[in-house]
Amino acid sequence: MFYFIYINGEFVETKNRQAVINPASGEVIAEAGVASKDEIELAISSAREAFDAGAWPRISLEERKGFLLKISQGILDKAQELARLETLNTGKPIKESTFMDIPSSAKTFEYFANNLEGFLKEETRELENARSRLVREPHGVVVLIVPWNYPLLIACWKLAQALAAGNTVVLKPSSLTPLTVLELARIIQGTGLPKGVVNIINATGDVSGELLCADKRVDMVSFTGSSEVGKKIIGYSSKNVKKLIMELGGKSAGIILKDADLELAINGSLCSIFLNQGQMCTAMSRILAEDDIYDKFISGFVEKAKRIKLGDGLNYETQMGPLISKAQREKVIEYVEKAKKEGAKLLCGGKISDNPELKKGFFFELTVFADVLPKMSIFQEEVFGPVVCVSKFSDADEAVQLANATDFALACAIWSGDTALAQKLASQINSGVCWINTYGMFYNEAPYGGFKQSGFGKELGREGLLEYTRLKNIVTDQTQGTKPIVNYWYGF
Ligand code: NAD
Protein backbone atom coordinates (compact mmCIF):
# COMPACT_ATOMS: atom_id res chain seq x y z
CA MET A 1 0.00 0.00 0.00
CA PHE A 2 1.24 3.49 -0.87
CA TYR A 3 0.50 6.52 1.32
CA PHE A 4 0.40 9.84 -0.50
CA ILE A 5 1.38 13.15 1.00
CA TYR A 6 -1.33 15.84 1.07
CA ILE A 7 -0.80 19.34 -0.28
CA ASN A 8 -3.36 22.02 -1.13
CA GLY A 9 -6.30 19.66 -0.77
CA GLU A 10 -4.82 16.99 -3.04
CA PHE A 11 -2.94 13.77 -2.60
CA VAL A 12 0.44 14.03 -4.27
CA GLU A 13 2.25 11.05 -5.72
CA THR A 14 5.84 11.98 -4.92
CA LYS A 15 8.85 10.79 -6.88
CA ASN A 16 10.63 9.92 -3.65
CA ARG A 17 9.31 7.06 -1.55
CA GLN A 18 10.31 5.25 1.59
CA ALA A 19 9.52 1.91 3.19
CA VAL A 20 7.59 1.94 6.46
CA ILE A 21 8.52 -0.83 8.90
CA ASN A 22 6.59 -2.84 11.47
CA PRO A 23 8.97 -2.84 14.47
CA ALA A 24 7.49 -6.09 15.77
CA SER A 25 8.66 -8.04 12.72
CA GLY A 26 11.11 -5.77 10.89
CA GLU A 27 8.91 -6.21 7.81
CA VAL A 28 7.85 -3.52 5.35
CA ILE A 29 4.16 -2.73 5.84
CA ALA A 30 3.72 0.12 3.38
CA GLU A 31 5.42 2.75 1.31
CA ALA A 32 5.02 6.43 1.98
CA GLY A 33 5.70 9.41 -0.24
CA VAL A 34 8.62 11.61 0.79
CA ALA A 35 8.32 15.31 0.03
CA SER A 36 11.05 16.86 -2.12
CA LYS A 37 12.32 20.40 -1.54
CA ASP A 38 9.82 21.66 -4.16
CA GLU A 39 6.94 19.83 -2.50
CA ILE A 40 7.85 21.30 0.89
CA GLU A 41 7.90 24.74 -0.77
CA LEU A 42 4.48 24.04 -2.26
CA ALA A 43 3.08 22.97 1.11
CA ILE A 44 4.27 26.22 2.72
CA SER A 45 2.98 28.40 -0.12
CA SER A 46 -0.39 26.60 -0.09
CA ALA A 47 -0.77 27.20 3.64
CA ARG A 48 0.27 30.85 3.17
CA GLU A 49 -2.19 31.39 0.34
CA ALA A 50 -4.99 29.68 2.29
CA PHE A 51 -4.34 31.99 5.22
CA ASP A 52 -3.84 35.25 3.31
CA ALA A 53 -6.52 34.88 0.66
CA GLY A 54 -8.61 31.86 1.62
CA ALA A 55 -11.83 31.53 3.55
CA TRP A 56 -10.50 29.76 6.63
CA PRO A 57 -9.43 32.65 8.89
CA ARG A 58 -12.58 34.54 7.92
CA ILE A 59 -15.33 31.95 8.38
CA SER A 60 -17.48 32.15 11.49
CA LEU A 61 -16.42 30.38 14.67
CA GLU A 62 -19.55 28.27 14.35
CA GLU A 63 -18.40 27.01 10.93
CA ARG A 64 -14.89 26.41 12.27
CA LYS A 65 -16.41 24.37 15.07
CA GLY A 66 -18.36 22.34 12.52
CA PHE A 67 -15.19 21.34 10.65
CA LEU A 68 -13.42 20.27 13.87
CA LEU A 69 -16.40 18.15 14.89
CA LYS A 70 -16.40 16.49 11.47
CA ILE A 71 -12.71 15.61 11.84
CA SER A 72 -13.40 14.20 15.31
CA GLN A 73 -16.24 12.07 13.97
CA GLY A 74 -14.12 10.99 10.99
CA ILE A 75 -11.48 9.64 13.40
CA LEU A 76 -14.11 7.79 15.42
CA ASP A 77 -15.62 6.30 12.26
CA LYS A 78 -12.24 4.83 11.38
CA ALA A 79 -11.13 4.13 14.96
CA GLN A 80 -10.56 0.41 14.59
CA GLU A 81 -8.61 0.75 11.36
CA LEU A 82 -6.51 3.60 12.78
CA ALA A 83 -5.75 1.70 16.00
CA ARG A 84 -4.57 -1.30 14.03
CA LEU A 85 -2.43 0.88 11.77
CA GLU A 86 -0.90 2.72 14.75
CA THR A 87 0.01 -0.58 16.38
CA LEU A 88 1.44 -1.98 13.13
CA ASN A 89 3.61 1.09 12.65
CA THR A 90 4.71 1.77 16.25
CA GLY A 91 4.55 -1.70 17.81
CA LYS A 92 2.55 -0.43 20.79
CA PRO A 93 -0.02 -2.85 22.27
CA ILE A 94 -3.38 -2.68 20.52
CA LYS A 95 -5.02 -2.08 23.91
CA GLU A 96 -3.12 1.23 24.11
CA SER A 97 -3.89 2.40 20.57
CA THR A 98 -7.54 1.30 20.85
CA PHE A 99 -8.28 2.84 24.24
CA MET A 100 -5.83 5.73 24.41
CA ASP A 101 -4.31 7.05 21.19
CA ILE A 102 -7.26 6.96 18.82
CA PRO A 103 -10.22 7.98 21.02
CA SER A 104 -8.10 10.70 22.67
CA SER A 105 -7.21 12.06 19.22
CA ALA A 106 -10.91 12.38 18.37
CA LYS A 107 -11.76 13.84 21.77
CA THR A 108 -9.21 16.63 21.42
CA PHE A 109 -10.90 17.88 18.23
CA GLU A 110 -14.27 17.65 19.95
CA TYR A 111 -13.06 19.52 23.02
CA PHE A 112 -11.57 22.44 21.11
CA ALA A 113 -14.57 22.55 18.77
CA ASN A 114 -16.88 22.93 21.75
CA ASN A 115 -14.72 25.46 23.57
CA LEU A 116 -13.09 27.60 20.93
CA GLU A 117 -15.69 30.32 21.05
CA GLY A 118 -15.36 30.79 24.82
CA PHE A 119 -11.57 30.58 24.79
CA LEU A 120 -11.15 33.06 21.94
CA LYS A 121 -13.55 35.60 23.36
CA GLU A 122 -12.15 39.11 23.29
CA GLU A 123 -11.68 41.03 26.52
CA THR A 124 -12.27 44.72 27.18
CA ARG A 125 -10.28 46.70 29.74
CA GLU A 126 -11.16 50.17 30.87
CA LEU A 127 -8.03 52.33 31.01
CA GLU A 128 -7.58 55.90 32.12
CA ASN A 129 -9.42 57.83 29.39
CA ALA A 130 -9.18 54.93 26.97
CA ARG A 131 -10.58 51.48 26.33
CA SER A 132 -8.53 48.47 25.34
CA ARG A 133 -9.89 45.58 23.31
CA LEU A 134 -7.74 42.48 23.64
CA VAL A 135 -8.32 40.39 20.57
CA ARG A 136 -7.10 36.86 19.88
CA GLU A 137 -5.93 36.36 16.29
CA PRO A 138 -4.39 33.31 14.61
CA HIS A 139 -0.63 33.54 14.02
CA GLY A 140 -0.95 32.58 10.34
CA VAL A 141 0.98 29.60 8.98
CA VAL A 142 1.97 27.10 11.66
CA VAL A 143 4.44 24.26 11.14
CA LEU A 144 3.72 21.25 13.34
CA ILE A 145 6.53 18.72 13.80
CA VAL A 146 5.69 15.56 15.73
CA PRO A 147 7.59 12.50 17.02
CA TRP A 148 7.05 8.78 16.54
CA ASN A 149 5.93 7.74 20.03
CA TYR A 150 2.32 9.01 19.76
CA PRO A 151 2.15 9.75 16.03
CA LEU A 152 -1.58 10.44 15.65
CA LEU A 153 -2.32 11.71 19.14
CA ILE A 154 0.35 14.41 19.31
CA ALA A 155 -0.43 15.45 15.72
CA CYS A 156 -4.12 15.78 16.68
CA TRP A 157 -3.36 17.81 19.82
CA LYS A 158 -1.43 20.31 17.75
CA LEU A 159 -3.72 20.26 14.73
CA ALA A 160 -6.93 20.70 16.72
CA GLN A 161 -5.51 23.73 18.55
CA ALA A 162 -3.90 25.30 15.50
CA LEU A 163 -7.14 24.97 13.49
CA ALA A 164 -9.41 26.03 16.35
CA ALA A 165 -7.41 29.24 16.55
CA GLY A 166 -7.83 29.85 12.79
CA ASN A 167 -4.32 29.08 11.54
CA THR A 168 -3.32 27.15 8.45
CA VAL A 169 -0.90 24.30 8.84
CA VAL A 170 1.98 22.28 7.47
CA LEU A 171 2.20 19.08 9.51
CA LYS A 172 5.24 16.83 9.43
CA PRO A 173 5.10 13.41 11.11
CA SER A 174 8.22 11.42 11.94
CA SER A 175 9.33 9.50 8.87
CA LEU A 176 9.37 6.38 11.06
CA THR A 177 5.62 6.62 11.69
CA PRO A 178 3.82 8.61 8.99
CA LEU A 179 0.89 6.26 8.32
CA THR A 180 -1.93 7.28 10.65
CA VAL A 181 -1.26 10.96 10.04
CA LEU A 182 -1.39 10.43 6.26
CA GLU A 183 -4.62 8.51 6.82
CA LEU A 184 -5.91 11.52 8.78
CA ALA A 185 -5.40 13.53 5.59
CA ARG A 186 -8.17 11.44 3.96
CA ILE A 187 -10.51 12.25 6.84
CA ILE A 188 -9.67 15.93 6.54
CA GLN A 189 -10.26 15.91 2.78
CA GLY A 190 -13.63 14.24 3.40
CA THR A 191 -14.76 17.12 5.63
CA GLY A 192 -14.47 19.61 2.77
CA LEU A 193 -12.03 21.81 4.70
CA PRO A 194 -10.88 24.57 2.32
CA LYS A 195 -7.81 23.53 0.34
CA GLY A 196 -4.42 24.52 1.67
CA VAL A 197 -5.62 24.83 5.28
CA VAL A 198 -3.98 21.54 6.22
CA ASN A 199 -0.95 20.21 4.36
CA ILE A 200 0.65 16.98 5.49
CA ILE A 201 4.07 16.10 4.23
CA ASN A 202 6.40 13.27 5.12
CA ALA A 203 10.14 13.91 5.16
CA THR A 204 13.16 13.28 7.31
CA GLY A 205 13.94 16.05 9.75
CA ASP A 206 17.43 16.78 8.47
CA VAL A 207 16.10 17.44 4.95
CA SER A 208 12.95 19.34 5.87
CA GLY A 209 13.81 20.98 9.20
CA GLU A 210 15.54 24.12 8.04
CA LEU A 211 13.26 24.54 5.01
CA LEU A 212 10.19 24.49 7.23
CA CYS A 213 11.44 26.33 10.28
CA ALA A 214 13.53 29.12 8.77
CA ASP A 215 11.04 30.12 6.07
CA LYS A 216 9.75 33.69 6.32
CA ARG A 217 6.24 32.62 5.28
CA VAL A 218 5.92 30.50 8.43
CA ASP A 219 4.75 32.35 11.55
CA MET A 220 4.96 29.68 14.21
CA VAL A 221 6.58 26.31 14.83
CA SER A 222 5.13 23.86 17.32
CA PHE A 223 7.58 21.05 17.92
CA THR A 224 7.48 17.89 20.01
CA GLY A 225 10.61 15.78 20.05
CA SER A 226 14.06 15.52 21.52
CA SER A 227 15.83 18.40 23.24
CA GLU A 228 18.69 18.01 20.76
CA VAL A 229 16.47 18.59 17.71
CA GLY A 230 14.51 21.26 19.59
CA LYS A 231 17.70 23.30 19.93
CA LYS A 232 18.31 23.03 16.17
CA ILE A 233 14.77 24.21 15.47
CA ILE A 234 15.20 27.20 17.79
CA GLY A 235 18.31 28.01 15.73
CA TYR A 236 16.54 27.74 12.33
CA SER A 237 13.55 29.74 13.55
CA SER A 238 15.69 32.54 14.90
CA LYS A 239 16.57 33.54 11.32
CA ASN A 240 13.15 35.05 10.86
CA VAL A 241 11.91 35.14 14.47
CA LYS A 242 8.87 32.97 15.05
CA LYS A 243 6.53 32.05 17.83
CA LEU A 244 7.67 28.66 19.17
CA ILE A 245 6.30 25.85 21.29
CA MET A 246 8.92 23.32 22.36
CA GLU A 247 7.78 20.07 23.98
CA LEU A 248 11.09 18.29 24.52
CA GLY A 249 12.65 15.42 26.44
CA GLY A 250 12.40 14.43 30.07
CA LYS A 251 13.93 12.44 32.91
CA SER A 252 11.00 12.52 35.26
CA ALA A 253 10.98 11.31 38.85
CA GLY A 254 8.40 9.14 40.55
CA ILE A 255 8.68 9.68 44.32
CA ILE A 256 7.50 6.93 46.65
CA LEU A 257 7.09 8.18 50.21
CA LYS A 258 7.08 5.70 53.09
CA ASP A 259 3.39 6.29 53.82
CA ALA A 260 2.29 5.50 50.26
CA ASP A 261 -0.08 2.66 49.48
CA LEU A 262 2.71 0.42 48.24
CA GLU A 263 0.64 -1.72 45.91
CA LEU A 264 -0.81 1.38 44.27
CA ALA A 265 2.64 2.95 44.01
CA ILE A 266 4.17 -0.19 42.49
CA ASN A 267 1.37 -0.70 39.96
CA GLY A 268 1.29 2.98 39.00
CA SER A 269 5.07 3.14 38.72
CA LEU A 270 5.12 0.12 36.40
CA CYS A 271 2.72 1.93 34.10
CA SER A 272 4.67 5.17 34.44
CA ILE A 273 7.79 3.65 32.90
CA PHE A 274 6.74 0.65 30.82
CA LEU A 275 3.68 1.97 29.00
CA ASN A 276 4.47 2.45 25.29
CA GLN A 277 7.75 0.56 25.89
CA GLY A 278 8.98 3.43 28.04
CA GLN A 279 9.00 5.65 24.97
CA MET A 280 7.14 8.47 26.67
CA CYS A 281 8.45 11.95 27.27
CA THR A 282 6.81 11.81 30.70
CA ALA A 283 8.18 8.35 31.55
CA MET A 284 9.08 8.17 35.24
CA SER A 285 12.50 6.83 34.33
CA ARG A 286 13.83 7.67 37.79
CA ILE A 287 12.07 6.18 40.78
CA LEU A 288 13.02 7.64 44.14
CA ALA A 289 11.93 5.48 47.07
CA GLU A 290 12.17 6.40 50.76
CA ASP A 291 14.70 4.21 52.60
CA ASP A 292 12.12 2.63 54.96
CA ILE A 293 10.26 1.03 52.03
CA TYR A 294 13.08 0.91 49.44
CA ASP A 295 13.72 -2.86 49.57
CA LYS A 296 10.04 -3.75 49.75
CA PHE A 297 9.23 -1.45 46.83
CA ILE A 298 12.03 -2.87 44.70
CA SER A 299 11.17 -6.51 45.27
CA GLY A 300 7.46 -5.91 44.49
CA PHE A 301 8.29 -3.78 41.47
CA VAL A 302 10.78 -6.21 39.93
CA GLU A 303 8.57 -9.22 40.58
CA LYS A 304 5.69 -7.57 38.67
CA ALA A 305 7.94 -6.12 35.93
CA LYS A 306 9.08 -9.66 35.11
CA ARG A 307 5.44 -10.68 34.58
CA ILE A 308 4.71 -8.01 31.95
CA LYS A 309 4.18 -9.85 28.69
CA LEU A 310 6.35 -8.84 25.74
CA GLY A 311 5.04 -9.53 22.25
CA ASP A 312 3.51 -8.37 18.99
CA GLY A 313 1.30 -5.39 19.72
CA LEU A 314 -1.51 -6.82 17.58
CA ASN A 315 -1.94 -9.66 20.05
CA TYR A 316 -4.48 -8.59 22.69
CA GLU A 317 -2.47 -10.34 25.41
CA THR A 318 0.64 -8.30 24.74
CA GLN A 319 1.48 -5.77 27.45
CA MET A 320 4.68 -4.39 25.97
CA GLY A 321 5.70 -4.22 22.32
CA PRO A 322 9.03 -3.66 20.55
CA LEU A 323 11.05 -0.47 20.45
CA ILE A 324 10.44 1.71 17.43
CA SER A 325 13.60 0.80 15.49
CA LYS A 326 16.88 -1.05 15.54
CA ALA A 327 18.69 2.25 15.99
CA GLN A 328 16.56 3.11 19.03
CA ARG A 329 17.29 -0.31 20.53
CA GLU A 330 21.02 0.21 19.98
CA LYS A 331 20.78 3.55 21.75
CA VAL A 332 19.05 1.85 24.71
CA ILE A 333 21.69 -0.89 24.83
CA GLU A 334 24.44 1.75 24.95
CA TYR A 335 22.79 3.38 27.97
CA VAL A 336 22.41 0.02 29.71
CA GLU A 337 26.08 -0.86 29.18
CA LYS A 338 27.16 2.55 30.42
CA ALA A 339 24.98 2.19 33.53
CA LYS A 340 26.54 -1.17 34.33
CA LYS A 341 30.05 0.27 33.91
CA GLU A 342 29.21 3.21 36.14
CA GLY A 343 28.15 0.83 38.95
CA ALA A 344 24.34 0.73 38.76
CA LYS A 345 22.96 -2.61 39.97
CA LEU A 346 21.04 -4.47 37.24
CA LEU A 347 18.05 -6.28 38.76
CA CYS A 348 16.30 -7.54 35.66
CA GLY A 349 16.36 -7.31 31.86
CA GLY A 350 19.16 -5.30 30.31
CA LYS A 351 19.21 -7.33 27.11
CA ILE A 352 17.45 -8.17 23.85
CA SER A 353 14.63 -10.62 24.44
CA ASP A 354 15.78 -14.21 23.80
CA ASN A 355 12.25 -15.41 22.97
CA PRO A 356 12.73 -16.95 19.47
CA GLU A 357 9.27 -15.70 18.41
CA LEU A 358 10.43 -12.12 18.92
CA LYS A 359 13.77 -12.47 17.13
CA LYS A 360 12.87 -10.39 14.10
CA GLY A 361 11.44 -7.43 15.97
CA PHE A 362 13.21 -4.74 17.96
CA PHE A 363 12.26 -6.14 21.37
CA PHE A 364 14.14 -5.33 24.55
CA GLU A 365 13.50 -6.68 28.02
CA LEU A 366 12.06 -4.55 30.81
CA THR A 367 15.09 -3.31 32.68
CA VAL A 368 15.45 -2.19 36.30
CA PHE A 369 18.58 -0.69 37.83
CA ALA A 370 18.88 -0.11 41.58
CA ASP A 371 21.27 1.89 43.77
CA VAL A 372 21.58 4.54 41.08
CA LEU A 373 23.44 7.71 42.02
CA PRO A 374 22.78 11.20 40.62
CA LYS A 375 26.22 11.36 38.99
CA MET A 376 25.48 8.31 36.77
CA SER A 377 24.40 8.93 33.18
CA ILE A 378 21.38 6.64 33.60
CA PHE A 379 20.13 9.11 36.24
CA GLN A 380 20.77 12.19 34.10
CA GLU A 381 20.09 11.27 30.45
CA GLU A 382 16.90 10.36 28.65
CA VAL A 383 16.99 6.72 27.48
CA PHE A 384 13.54 6.60 25.89
CA GLY A 385 13.05 2.89 26.39
CA PRO A 386 11.89 0.40 29.06
CA VAL A 387 14.73 1.19 31.45
CA VAL A 388 14.16 2.54 34.94
CA CYS A 389 16.60 3.45 37.67
CA VAL A 390 15.70 3.34 41.35
CA SER A 391 17.43 5.48 43.97
CA LYS A 392 17.00 5.89 47.71
CA PHE A 393 16.23 8.99 49.79
CA SER A 394 15.99 9.51 53.51
CA ASP A 395 13.59 12.45 53.85
CA ALA A 396 11.28 14.69 51.81
CA ASP A 397 13.94 17.38 51.34
CA GLU A 398 16.33 14.90 49.82
CA ALA A 399 13.56 13.62 47.54
CA VAL A 400 13.02 17.13 46.20
CA GLN A 401 16.74 17.68 45.78
CA LEU A 402 17.12 14.42 43.82
CA ALA A 403 14.02 15.06 41.72
CA ASN A 404 15.42 18.46 40.72
CA ALA A 405 18.94 17.20 40.03
CA THR A 406 18.72 16.94 36.22
CA ASP A 407 18.57 19.43 33.35
CA PHE A 408 15.03 18.33 32.50
CA ALA A 409 11.84 19.53 34.18
CA LEU A 410 8.88 17.88 32.50
CA ALA A 411 6.85 15.84 35.00
CA CYS A 412 6.86 14.07 38.33
CA ALA A 413 4.64 11.64 40.21
CA ILE A 414 4.33 11.59 43.99
CA TRP A 415 2.92 8.58 45.79
CA SER A 416 1.92 9.31 49.37
CA GLY A 417 -0.88 8.89 51.91
CA ASP A 418 -0.30 12.44 53.09
CA THR A 419 -1.80 14.69 50.42
CA ALA A 420 -0.73 17.88 52.20
CA LEU A 421 2.89 16.73 52.13
CA ALA A 422 2.53 15.62 48.50
CA GLN A 423 1.14 19.05 47.57
CA LYS A 424 4.06 20.71 49.34
CA LEU A 425 6.58 18.59 47.43
CA ALA A 426 4.75 19.28 44.17
CA SER A 427 5.27 22.99 44.73
CA GLN A 428 9.00 22.46 45.29
CA ILE A 429 9.67 20.17 42.35
CA ASN A 430 10.87 21.69 39.14
CA SER A 431 8.45 20.23 36.61
CA GLY A 432 5.59 21.38 34.42
CA VAL A 433 3.25 18.60 35.54
CA CYS A 434 2.98 16.84 38.92
CA TRP A 435 0.76 13.83 39.41
CA ILE A 436 -0.22 12.85 42.95
CA ASN A 437 -1.14 9.19 43.46
CA THR A 438 -1.66 8.79 39.75
CA TYR A 439 0.35 8.96 36.57
CA GLY A 440 0.05 10.12 33.02
CA MET A 441 -3.51 11.29 32.97
CA PHE A 442 -3.75 13.87 30.20
CA TYR A 443 -6.91 15.93 30.10
CA ASN A 444 -7.95 18.17 27.26
CA GLU A 445 -8.94 20.71 29.92
CA ALA A 446 -5.54 20.85 31.65
CA PRO A 447 -2.44 22.45 30.10
CA TYR A 448 0.67 20.36 29.76
CA GLY A 449 4.33 21.26 29.07
CA GLY A 450 7.79 21.38 30.63
CA PHE A 451 10.44 23.77 31.88
CA LYS A 452 14.24 23.99 31.49
CA GLN A 453 15.59 21.58 28.82
CA SER A 454 12.13 20.01 28.58
CA GLY A 455 11.04 23.06 26.65
CA PHE A 456 8.48 25.80 26.92
CA GLY A 457 4.89 26.55 26.00
CA LYS A 458 1.75 24.61 26.82
CA GLU A 459 -0.41 22.15 24.94
CA LEU A 460 -4.09 21.53 25.77
CA GLY A 461 -6.52 23.49 27.88
CA ARG A 462 -7.38 27.12 27.32
CA GLU A 463 -3.70 28.03 27.73
CA GLY A 464 -2.73 25.53 25.02
CA LEU A 465 -5.18 27.00 22.53
CA LEU A 466 -4.06 30.54 23.31
CA GLU A 467 -0.46 29.58 22.39
CA TYR A 468 -1.73 29.26 18.82
CA THR A 469 -3.05 32.82 18.88
CA ARG A 470 -1.45 36.23 19.05
CA LEU A 471 -2.89 38.88 21.30
CA LYS A 472 -3.71 42.21 19.75
CA ASN A 473 -4.36 45.26 21.91
CA ILE A 474 -6.66 47.82 20.24
CA VAL A 475 -6.77 51.02 22.28
CA THR A 476 -9.52 53.59 21.64
CA ASP A 477 -9.57 57.05 23.12
CA GLN A 478 -12.36 57.66 25.63
CA THR A 479 -11.57 61.22 26.75
CA GLN A 480 -14.47 63.57 26.86
CA GLY A 481 -14.85 65.17 23.45
CA THR A 482 -11.95 62.98 22.22
CA LYS A 483 -9.18 65.23 23.46
CA PRO A 484 -6.31 62.94 24.49
CA ILE A 485 -3.18 64.68 25.77
CA VAL A 486 -1.17 63.35 22.82
CA ASN A 487 -3.02 65.78 20.55
CA TYR A 488 -1.65 68.74 22.51
CA TRP A 489 1.80 67.44 23.44
CA TYR A 490 3.74 69.89 21.28
CA GLY A 491 1.37 72.70 22.11
CA PHE A 492 -0.09 73.00 18.59
P1 NAD B 1 13.23 13.63 17.35
O1 NAD B 1 13.61 14.93 17.95
O2 NAD B 1 14.30 12.79 16.77
O3 NAD B 1 12.18 13.85 16.17
C1 NAD B 1 10.98 14.55 16.35
C2 NAD B 1 10.53 15.12 15.03
O4 NAD B 1 11.51 16.05 14.60
C3 NAD B 1 10.39 14.09 13.91
O5 NAD B 1 9.30 14.44 13.09
C4 NAD B 1 11.69 14.26 13.15
O6 NAD B 1 11.59 13.90 11.78
C5 NAD B 1 11.90 15.77 13.28
N1 NAD B 1 13.29 16.20 13.09
C6 NAD B 1 14.43 15.49 13.24
N2 NAD B 1 15.50 16.28 12.96
C7 NAD B 1 15.00 17.50 12.64
C8 NAD B 1 15.58 18.74 12.27
N3 NAD B 1 16.89 18.88 12.17
N4 NAD B 1 14.76 19.78 12.02
C9 NAD B 1 13.41 19.67 12.13
N5 NAD B 1 12.81 18.51 12.48
C10 NAD B 1 13.59 17.45 12.73
O7 NAD B 1 12.38 12.88 18.44
P2 NAD B 1 11.77 11.43 18.34
O8 NAD B 1 12.92 10.47 18.41
O9 NAD B 1 10.80 11.34 17.21
O10 NAD B 1 10.91 11.39 19.69
C11 NAD B 1 11.48 11.15 20.91
C12 NAD B 1 11.75 12.43 21.67
O11 NAD B 1 10.57 13.22 21.72
C13 NAD B 1 12.13 12.18 23.11
O12 NAD B 1 13.18 13.03 23.47
C14 NAD B 1 10.87 12.55 23.87
O13 NAD B 1 11.08 12.92 25.21
C15 NAD B 1 10.34 13.66 23.05
N6 NAD B 1 8.91 13.85 23.28
C16 NAD B 1 8.51 14.93 24.02
C17 NAD B 1 7.16 15.11 24.31
C18 NAD B 1 6.68 16.28 25.14
O14 NAD B 1 5.50 16.55 25.12
N7 NAD B 1 7.56 16.97 25.85
C19 NAD B 1 6.22 14.20 23.82
C20 NAD B 1 6.67 13.13 23.07
C21 NAD B 1 8.02 12.96 22.80
Side-chain angles (χ1 to χ4, degrees), residues 78-384:
K78 280 190 165 181
Q80 224 178 337
E81 186 188 327
L82 287 168
R84 191 183 143 76
L85 195 59
E86 200 68 310
T87 285
L88 262 180
N89 196 179
T90 60
K92 67 177 69 190
I94 189 80
K95 184 175 163 190
E96 291 178 28
S97 42
T98 303
F99 296 108
M100 293 179 188
D101 298 49
I102 309 304
S104 304
S105 302
K107 266 196 169 313
T108 301
F109 276 100
E110 186 194 338
Y111 173 75
F112 285 107
N114 289 332
N115 288 287
L116 66 92
E117 198 162 354
F119 290 168
L120 298 176
K121 216 178 220 131
E122 72 175 57
E123 190 190 326
T124 306
R125 287 193 197 162
E126 297 305 330
L127 315 171
E128 195 182 341
N129 295 324
R131 176 172 297 144
S132 162
R133 270 179 63 219
L134 298 175
V135 182
R136 291 281 168 185
E137 298 179 341
H139 286 286
V141 174
V142 182
V143 161
L144 310 175
I145 301 180
V146 297
W148 46 257
N149 61 340
Y150 288 92
L152 187 67
L153 181 58
I154 295 179
C156 286
W157 281 3
K158 291 186 187 297
L159 195 55
Q161 294 171 108
L163 293 179
N167 300 284
T168 61
V169 163
V170 178
L171 165 61
K172 192 200 87 60
S174 163
S175 51
L176 287 172
T177 54
L179 301 187
T180 46
V181 165
L182 293 173
E183 201 56 51
L184 178 69
R186 292 186 189 283
I187 294 171
I188 289 172
Q189 193 190 41
T191 65
L193 193 76
K195 62 180 193 168
V197 173
V198 174
N199 304 276
I200 304 183
I201 56 163
N202 172 45
T204 59
D206 46 356
V207 171
S208 61
E210 187 157 10
L211 287 173
L212 288 168
C213 303
D215 196 295
K216 228 180 191 165
R217 294 164 296 175
V218 171
D219 302 291
M220 172 177 177
V221 178
S222 175
F223 171 74
T224 298
S226 60
S227 303
E228 191 191 337
V229 172
K231 286 175 197 169
K232 286 189 193 168
I233 291 179
I234 292 171
Y236 306 145
S237 311
S238 70
K239 289 190 185 147
N240 282 301
V241 183
K242 297 179 196 317
K243 158 81 182 185
L244 296 176
I245 294 183
M246 290 282 141
E247 301 291 353
L248 309 178
K251 191 76 195 178
S252 300
I255 298 176
I256 325 290
L257 291 159
K258 62 182 176 207
D259 64 357
D261 176 329
L262 211 54
E263 193 181 350
L264 201 89
I266 288 172
N267 291 349
S269 299
L270 287 165
C271 210
S272 77
I273 175 63
F274 296 128
L275 203 71
N276 207 28
Q277 298 72 245
Q279 301 166 140
M280 297 176 289
C281 52
T282 54
M284 296 294 144
S285 51
R286 293 181 297 146
I287 294 179
L288 312 175
E290 195 154 0
D291 45 15
D292 305 51
I293 46 103
Y294 183 78
D295 291 335
K296 212 168 161 200
F297 174 83
I298 287 192
S299 62
F301 185 83
V302 170
E303 187 269 319
K304 285 184 172 168
K306 285 182 179 164
R307 281 164 39 201
I308 292 178
K309 197 169 178 299
L310 222 65
D312 185 332
L314 283 180
N315 181 340
Y316 274 87
E317 286 181 1
T318 291
Q319 293 172 311
M320 199 176 91
L323 299 185
I324 192 68
S325 64
K326 195 160 181 258
Q328 185 64 19
R329 186 168 68 178
E330 274 158 16
K331 193 179 136 202
V332 171
I333 293 171
E334 266 178 43
Y335 276 115
V336 167
E337 293 310 315
K338 212 165 161 188
K340 287 199 271 186
K341 265 199 207 119
E342 289 178 2
K345 191 164 141 198
L346 181 65
L347 298 183
C348 67
K351 59 180 176 53
I352 292 175
S353 165
D354 41 25
N355 178 346
E357 282 175 27
L358 307 180
K359 226 172 67 197
K360 288 191 187 149
F362 312 128
F363 292 90
F364 194 77
E365 288 189 355
L366 294 91
T367 301
V368 183
F369 281 107
D371 300 346
V372 174
L373 301 175
K375 63 177 186 202
M376 296 178 184
S377 16
I378 199 78
F379 189 95
Q380 294 293 338
E381 293 168 35
E382 185 182 42
V383 177
F384 222 58

